[in-house]
């Protein structure tokens, strides 16, 4: 097409110019939290400093950015900023590979990633960006650790960690590949080691209750709610008090109320507060101690080989059958939390495996619903190397899912023989370890004194500074070898002490990462007591919406838990429901050819390459257009091409129409509309009034739909409706031309008006081109109106 002197679509020039203008006007600075306008804190995920923005980030931030721009255009104050999750193993591994200190590595990665994100034109308030590995930020984690410790919600306990004998180091779960060490490929053992724990169990019941409230609030999407239920792992059933022949009773739980008569044993968690009472004999106590402190083989995590301690004690059957032997097994914890449960082989595959190990002879009749050949179905021995491993019970599936008859509220009356049973709930979610034997993390503010034991560092002395000139090798913890770090004074007695050399897992930093962006950059260096008193926190929290990947369920769950703790302790008292997020959207990932993208498969899409080729607007539009957020996005080049073609057409069409002189118009050859010749000369403006009215109606309907979609973060649908609006505009022109042969002044004004509306509703999804179009469609003497077109909506 001959453009004449009309500008052609040059995404790189347009995007560079718009980004420059946004920088110059500080367009995305967070407004002061004092206005009367509605306020929204929109929280994007905090990226690891992995080195590169990948296409999954582009998807995530395109959704959040579209929503942020939409809210601003609707006259709301928006806080849209993030911090880098820059501590932890991914950064440490990157630094080891790059043979440099992690601090240098994360700084370089963050700089590169920020450059990539800026090129994509995301409207973050960059002044609020932070790195969780900066001392001014990790003092928040240390403060949180001490605050939770004082409240009894952080405690020291003994726990299992993976250990490599060759490398002499503990490993994180992701460093263990098929039971071997990622570095030396030798087998890994589980060992017991003192660890710091976070007591989330204190808030499981409240979290359970709140999930229903969040569901009712309507701005948590189904994926996000499902993730919260999954992490919680609620199991409904009944509990009974079983008498011991020697006196005393134990409360036991089962999800299988209908099968009490088939109970064959009772299993207690080794962490059960009453466990000592049931392990009287000295050899039993010894076995229990071994179970708690000794090494386990990795394979021992499955039912077939999970350790069992037979206590020699029994409890009376709830239905008058044979007495039930009492065993102790860590198997209980991962399925029902710290509790005691009835073992019912007929109703539960794991119980069937345990019963076979206890009682020797396999059950002659295969339990109903068991996979053929499973251990309970007559396999000669349960401890064979691969017995049933493929369908071994997984912590991921609460047994109640396999047994719908055990659903909550509707426990049949007959299931409560002699009135013993009462409805009860257990949760799979459990306290977890927050300490790591690694150097790239927040130092734990504890010192060990020979006289006073473990002593917290006073809050006024925070932060405990991490030496930055460490070069981890993957073997051992270099922090433990730094005498200048380790030597300390005991805050209590003033004597010599040694610092804790474990650091906090970056998951612990994440408990807190949603708060610091609420703090104005000028206040950052202030004391935490001052910061926690700021009105800004009260103004921006709770966060209106989290937009994050669907693998963020654990993060969000634990953030919700800690918010409740800090509400009760005091600092977040103003969040009376203990919920940090009013709404949550979990989007799925970007895949290609139906598979997860990986370098190994060679199917990775490089955002930089795409931006170089098509421009940021095209890529952003394409990831929104291709799938609804809750669905996996199967990458397709044709979606990108289609979105690029759309933007180019909008650009060319708009500029061709803006360049026309009204009333001197002639049918445009490119549209192929055929004039009816000289006879149309006499047709006045009134003859096309109905078409103009219809165009106005189309615009109104489109704006309504796009508003509704964007408000609900259904961006794929919003983008489609923008595309349809463009079709309608062109259709209008064709009809006018069919009627008269050209556009009169009124027709032309209506067309330009519609193009301005199109530009305004395109703005959240392809902001650079949309803003340029709106500027070009606005007469030189008029003020640019980039606000969202007004529309009447049903309140949510
Ligand atoms: Zn190793
Ligand atoms: Zn001391």
């Amino acid at each position: 097409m001959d453009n004449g002197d009309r500008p052609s679509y040059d995404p790189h020039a347009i995007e560079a110019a718009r980004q420059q203008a946004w920088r110059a006007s500080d367009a995305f600075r967070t407004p002061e939290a004092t206005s009367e306008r509605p306020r929204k804190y929109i929280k994007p995920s905090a990226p690891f400093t992995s080195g590169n923005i990948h296409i999954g980030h582009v998807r995530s931030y395109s959704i959040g950015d579209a929503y942020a721009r939409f809210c601003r255009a609707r006259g709301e104050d928006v806080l849209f900023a993030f911090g880098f999750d820059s501590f932890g193993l991914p950064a440490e591994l990157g630094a080891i590979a790059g043979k440099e200190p992690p601090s240098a590595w994360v700084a370089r990665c963050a700089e590169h990633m920020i450059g990539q994100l800026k090129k994509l034109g995301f409207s973050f308030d960059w002044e609020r960006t932070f790195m969780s590995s900066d001392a001014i930020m990790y003092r928040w984690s240390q403060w949180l650790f001490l605050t939770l410790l004082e409240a009894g919600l952080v405690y020291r306990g003994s726990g299992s960690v993976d250990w490599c004998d060759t490398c002499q180091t503990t490993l994180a779960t992701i460093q263990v590949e098929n039971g071997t060490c990622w570095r030396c490929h030798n087998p890994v053992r589980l060992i017991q080691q003192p660890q710091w724990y976070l007591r989330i169990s204190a808030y499981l019941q409240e979290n359970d209750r709140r999930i229903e409230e969040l569901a009712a609030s309507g701005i948590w999407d189904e994926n996000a709610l499902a993730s919260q239920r999954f992490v919680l792992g609620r199991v409904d059933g009944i509990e009974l008090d079983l008498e011991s022949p020697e006196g005393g009773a134990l409360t036991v739980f089962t999800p299988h109320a209908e099968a009490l008569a088939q109970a064959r044993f009772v299993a207690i968690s080794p962490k059960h507060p009453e466990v000592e009472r049931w392990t009287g004999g000295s050899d039993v106590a010894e076995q229990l101690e071994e179970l708690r402190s000794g090494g386990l083989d990795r394979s021992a995590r499955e039912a077939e080989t999970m350790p069992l301690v037979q206590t020699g004690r029994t409890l009376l059957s709830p239905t008058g059958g044979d007495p039930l032997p009492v065993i102790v097994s860590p198997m209980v914890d991962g399925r029902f939390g710290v509790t005691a449960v009835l073992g019912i082989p007929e109703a539960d595959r794991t119980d069937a495996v345990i019963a076979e190990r206890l009682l020797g002879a396999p059950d002659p009749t295969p339990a109903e619903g068991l996979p053929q050949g499973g251990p309970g179905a007559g396999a000669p021995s349960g401890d064979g190397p691969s017995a049933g491993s493929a369908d071994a019970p997984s912590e991921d599936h609460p047994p109640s899912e396999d047994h719908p008859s055990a659903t909550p509220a509707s426990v049949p009356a007959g299931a409560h023989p002699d009135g013993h049973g009462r409805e009860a709930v257990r949760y799979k979610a459990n306290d977890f370890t927050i300490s790591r034997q690694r150097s790239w993390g927040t130092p734990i503010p504890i010192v060990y004194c020979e006289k006073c034991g473990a002593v917290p560092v006073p809050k006024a002395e925070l932060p405990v500074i991490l030496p930055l000139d460490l070069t981890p090798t993957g073997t051992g913890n270099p922090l433990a070898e730094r005498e200048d770090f380790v030597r300390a004074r005991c805050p209590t007695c003033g004597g010599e002490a040694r610092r804790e050399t474990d650091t906090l897992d970056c998951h612990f930093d994440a408990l807190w990462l949603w708060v610091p962006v609420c703090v104005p950059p000028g206040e950052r260096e202030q004391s935490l007591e001052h910061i926690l008193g700021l009105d800004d926190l009260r103004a921006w929290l709770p966060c209106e919406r989290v937009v994050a990947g669907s693998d963020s369920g654990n993060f969000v769950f634990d953030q919700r838990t800690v918010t409740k703790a800090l509400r009760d302790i005091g600092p977040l008292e103003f969040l009376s429901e203990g919920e940090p997020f009013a709404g949550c959207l979990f989007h799925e990932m970007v895949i290609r050819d139906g598979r997860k993208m990986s370098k190994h498969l060679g199917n990775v899409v490089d955002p930089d390459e795409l931006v170089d080729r098509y421009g940021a607007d095209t890529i952003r539009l394409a990831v929104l257009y291709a799938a609804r957020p809750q669905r996996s996005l199967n990458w397709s080049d044709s979606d990108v091409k289609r979105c690029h073609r759309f933007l180019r057409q909008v650009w060319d069409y708009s500029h061709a129409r803006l360049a026309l002189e009204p009333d001197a118009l002639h049918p445009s050859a490119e549209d192929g509309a055929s004039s009816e010749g000289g006879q149309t000369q006499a047709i006045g403006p009134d003859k096309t009034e109905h078409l103009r009215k219809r165009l106005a109606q189309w615009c109104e309907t489109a704006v309504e739909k796009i508003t509704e979609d964007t408000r609900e973060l259904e961006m794929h649908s919003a983008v489609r409706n923008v595309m349809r609006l463009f079709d309608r505009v062109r259709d209008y022109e064709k009809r006018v031309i069919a009627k008269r042969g050209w556009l009169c002044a009124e027709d032309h004004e209506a067309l330009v008006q519609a193009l301005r509306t199109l530009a305004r509703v395109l703005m959240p999804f392809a902001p650079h081109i949309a803003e340029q179009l709106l500027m070009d469609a606005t007469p030189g003497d008029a003020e640019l109106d980039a606000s969202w077109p007004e529309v009447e909506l049903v309140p949510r």
Side-chain angles (χ1 to χ4, degrees), residues 413-473:
H416 301 185
D418 307 329
H420 284 313
R422 48 187 186 267
E423 286 176 14
V425 171
R426 295 292 185 272
Y427 301 102
K428 188 183 73 176
N430 221 324
D431 300 351
F432 55 84
T433 66
I434 50 175
S435 44
R436 294 290 178 267
Q437 296 71 45
R438 301 245 137 231
S439 62
W440 187 238
T442 298
I444 294 177
I446 290 285
V447 301
Y448 296 99
C449 167
E450 280 204 6
K451 268 194 244 159
C452 315
V455 182
V457 174
K459 284 182 180 172
E461 290 174 21
L462 298 183
V464 174
I465 298 285
L466 179 73
L468 288 185
D469 52 346
L470 292 169
T471 307
T473 59

Side-chain angles (χ1 to χ4, degrees), residues 370-554:
L370 289 186
Q372 274 207 332
S381 159
D383 55 14
S386 64
S389 62
D391 53 3
S394 155
E395 294 187 7
D396 296 345
H397 297 285
S400 60
E401 282 185 11
D402 300 332
H403 302 281
S405 56
T407 30
S410 62
V411 181
H416 301 185
D418 307 329
H420 284 313
R422 48 187 186 267
E423 286 176 14
V425 171
R426 295 292 185 272
Y427 301 102
K428 188 183 73 176
N430 221 324
D431 300 351
F432 55 84
T433 66
I434 50 175
S435 44
R436 294 290 178 267
Q437 296 71 45
R438 301 245 137 231
S439 62
W440 187 238
T442 298
I444 294 177
I446 290 285
V447 301
Y448 296 99
C449 167
E450 280 204 6
K451 268 194 244 159
C452 315
V455 182
V457 174
K459 284 182 180 172
E461 290 174 21
L462 298 183
V464 174
I465 298 285
L466 179 73
L468 288 185
D469 52 346
L470 292 169
T471 307
T473 59
T475 305
N477 177 359
L479 198 54
E481 288 149 29
R482 285 287 293 253
E483 276 300 305
D484 58 336
F485 174 79
V486 173
R487 280 157 169 255
R489 291 255 149 238
C490 168
T492 306
C493 72
E496 278 191 17
R498 297 183 72 75
R499 282 195 195 286
E500 171 67 90
T501 57
D502 281 6
T503 56
L504 289 170
D505 182 18
C506 61
H507 189 86
F508 190 87
D509 300 322
L511 296 175
W512 204 216
L513 281 185
W514 49 282
V515 186
V517 294
C518 302
V519 179
E523 304 274 9
R524 241 182 219 186
E525 314 271 325
Q526 300 286 333
S527 73
L528 282 178
E529 286 69 24
H530 169 86
I531 285 175
L532 290 165
L534 289 175
D535 286 341
D536 298 76
L537 265 56
R538 284 143 188 85
W540 291 113
L541 297 174
C543 161
E544 199 265 351
R545 198 81 60 128
V546 178
V547 179
S550 58
D551 54 357
S552 312
N554 277 305

Side-chain angles (χ1 to χ4, degrees), residues 271-344:
K271 295 179 188 160
H272 193 290
E274 293 172 38
V275 70
E276 312 291 345
R277 200 147 67 75
W278 302 95
T279 52
S282 63
D283 57 325
V284 177
E286 207 170 281
Q287 280 185 60
L288 182 64
E289 191 44 41
E290 201 171 297
L291 189 155
R292 284 166 166 173
S293 64
L296 306 181
D297 282 336
R298 167 155 292 272
S299 62
R301 292 172 191 187
E302 291 174 358
E304 285 74 7
T305 42
M306 180 68 101
L308 307 175
V309 174
Q310 303 202 39
T311 63
R313 302 280 299 277
T314 57
L315 286 162
L316 297 180
S317 155
T319 53
D322 293 340
L324 306 173
V326 177
I327 62 159
V328 181
S329 175
M331 201 84 205
V332 177
D333 302 53
R335 306 180 73 214
F336 307 102
V338 175
T339 189
V341 295
L342 277 180
I344 307 179

Side-chain angles (χ1 to χ4, degrees), residues 745-792:
E746 287 85 344
D747 296 331
H748 185 257
E749 180 48 35
L751 179 70
V752 171
Q753 177 68 35
L755 289 175
R756 277 198 289 265
T757 300
L758 178 69
R760 284 158 81 195
V761 295
L762 179 61
M763 201 89 74
F765 317 108
H768 311 83
I769 185 176
E771 189 169 278
Q772 189 61 55
L773 282 171
L774 188 61
M775 288 162 66
D776 295 347
T778 303
D781 53 349
E783 205 181 312
L784 189 79
D785 179 11
S787 69
W788 194 255
E790 274 183 36
V791 57
E792 298 262 332

Side-chain angles (χ1 to χ4, degrees), residues 487-793:
R487 280 157 169 255
R489 291 255 149 238
C490 168
T492 306
C493 72
E496 278 191 17
R498 297 183 72 75
R499 282 195 195 286
E500 171 67 90
T501 57
D502 281 6
T503 56
L504 289 170
D505 182 18
C506 61
H507 189 86
F508 190 87
D509 300 322
L511 296 175
W512 204 216
L513 281 185
W514 49 282
V515 186
V517 294
C518 302
V519 179
E523 304 274 9
R524 241 182 219 186
E525 314 271 325
Q526 300 286 333
S527 73
L528 282 178
E529 286 69 24
H530 169 86
I531 285 175
L532 290 165
L534 289 175
D535 286 341
D536 298 76
L537 265 56
R538 284 143 188 85
W540 291 113
L541 297 174
C543 161
E544 199 265 351
R545 198 81 60 128
V546 178
V547 179
S550 58
D551 54 357
S552 312
N554 277 305
F555 284 97
V556 167
F557 187 88
D558 297 332
Q559 288 162 340
R560 292 179 51 229
T561 301
V562 162
T563 305
K564 291 173 182 62
L566 291 176
R567 172 203 59 194
D568 293 346
I569 296 166
L572 296 183
E573 199 178 8
F574 58 93
L575 295 175
S576 58
E577 288 165 7
E579 292 294 339
F581 314 124
C584 188
L585 174 85
F586 278 180
H587 60 81
E588 284 298 335
M589 61 168 112
V590 183
I591 56 174
R592 195 176 192 180
D593 311 321
R595 305 166 81 173
K596 199 171 165 170
M597 288 188 190
S598 81
K599 278 185 192 149
H600 173 68
L601 291 172
N603 63 349
V604 175
V605 172
D606 177 3
D608 289 345
E609 230 168 70
L610 290 166
V611 171
D612 284 348
R613 185 154 174 207
Y614 298 103
D617 281 335
T618 292
I619 308 315
R620 297 175 51 149
L621 194 67
V623 294
L624 296 176
Y625 167 84
R628 57 179 309 233
Q630 293 83 353
R631 301 287 296 269
S632 290
L633 191 169
N634 200 356
W635 185 259
S636 117
D637 294 331
S638 67
D639 285 339
V640 178
K641 288 184 181 132
R642 194 199 149 118
C643 288
H644 192 62
R645 194 165 58 237
F646 168 75
L647 293 179
R648 182 178 294 283
Q649 283 173 348
V650 172
W651 179 269
D652 288 343
Y653 180 87
S654 299
H655 284 95
R657 298 316 176 269
L658 293 169
L660 290 176
E661 291 293 327
D663 249 349
L665 303 178
H666 294 278
S668 155
E670 72 184 279
D671 291 314
S674 67
S675 141
E676 285 160 40
Q679 57 182 336
T680 58
Q681 293 277 351
I683 293 179
D686 56 317
K687 295 291 180 197
T688 47
E689 198 187 347
H690 66 291
L691 294 174
R692 294 194 295 276
K693 277 193 175 153
R694 190 155 66 172
L695 176 64
Q697 186 55 52
W698 281 339
C699 285
E700 205 180 303
T701 309
V703 168
E704 269 172 32
K705 283 185 178 160
I706 296 162
T707 308
E708 192 84 47
D709 291 339
T710 312
R711 189 177 66 167
E712 305 300 327
L713 288 88
E714 298 280 3
M715 304 307 180
H716 67 300
S717 177
V719 169
R720 280 170 164 73
N721 281 318
V722 172
M723 290 175 169
R724 265 180 220 126
L725 176 59
F726 180 52
D727 291 341
R728 290 286 166 96
V729 173
R730 287 189 295 185
D731 184 59
Y732 155 81
E733 189 196 29
K734 274 184 193 146
R735 286 166 191 265
V736 172
I737 286 178
K739 193 91 186 161
R740 184 192 294 106
W742 64 84
L743 291 83
C744 67
E746 287 85 344
D747 296 331
H748 185 257
E749 180 48 35
L751 179 70
V752 171
Q753 177 68 35
L755 289 175
R756 277 198 289 265
T757 300
L758 178 69
R760 284 158 81 195
V761 295
L762 179 61
M763 201 89 74
F765 317 108
H768 311 83
I769 185 176
E771 189 169 278
Q772 189 61 55
L773 282 171
L774 188 61
M775 288 162 66
D776 295 347
T778 303
D781 53 349
E783 205 181 312
L784 189 79
D785 179 11
S787 69
W788 194 255
E790 274 183 36
V791 57
E792 298 262 332
L793 279 187

